[in-house]
Amino acid sequence: MEEDAPGIELVREFLGVHEMLRVGLRRCSELAQRAAAGLPPAQTAGEWPALRSGSLLWELRDNCFQHCFLLRRHHLGEDDALFPELRVTDGSLSPVLDRLEAEHREIALLIDRVIQIAESISGSGGEQGTGALVAGLRQLEEELLKHLSAEEEALVPALLRWREWPQP
């Protein structure tokens, strides 16, 4: 990556957010797998800095909700702010942006499913729900990782050329 490119700071922020999404989803998936395997909260509690409850199931739900909210906000920000500006500054990106927006809608459906499963998890009988959550997170992770990589490949070159973020 060209360190003196006009949009280098924007690219760093863009890639940083994507990495945060990857790490957050990986951590949620790992926690769901541990919960589904029946591991006690003490074995995973040290990995979550903002622990407010000793319940592994509570932890799992809370972290899934937080991650899903962040992911949804990120995609809305891209759809509402970044992509329209990219369409104006580089019209050749329109077909790619259309595809990425369609992927955002598909990922939103997966997020809704993960949230629905997480909401159904309770303190008793949680293993069955956590198994479903593991599967839902696995599907979300598969689609999201493909999407983030494709988005980075398609947009980083345009963002590197970006001289100044347009002001409203």
Side-chain angles (χ1 to χ4, degrees), residues 9-81:
E9 292 304 319
L10 181 59
V11 168
R12 284 187 182 129
E13 182 178 338
F14 181 74
L15 296 176
V17 169
H18 279 195
E19 184 58 21
M20 186 173 52
L21 293 171
R22 286 179 176 102
V23 168
L25 184 54
R26 188 169 39 248
R27 292 180 78 188
C28 284
S29 293
E30 289 169 2
L31 185 58
Q33 290 169 17
R34 288 179 176 156
L39 294 179
Q43 289 183 305
T44 57
E47 296 181 24
W48 295 96
L51 185 60
R52 290 174 283 205
S53 169
S55 166
L56 179 60
L57 293 177
W58 182 91
E59 243 182 280
L60 176 58
R61 288 179 60 190
D62 185 57
N63 284 287
C64 281
F65 293 149
Q66 287 180 27
H67 181 75
C68 288
F69 175 77
L70 176 63
L71 178 55
R72 188 172 276 153
R73 291 297 314 149
H74 172 70
H75 282 169
L76 286 172
E78 287 179 338
D79 291 347
D80 293 345

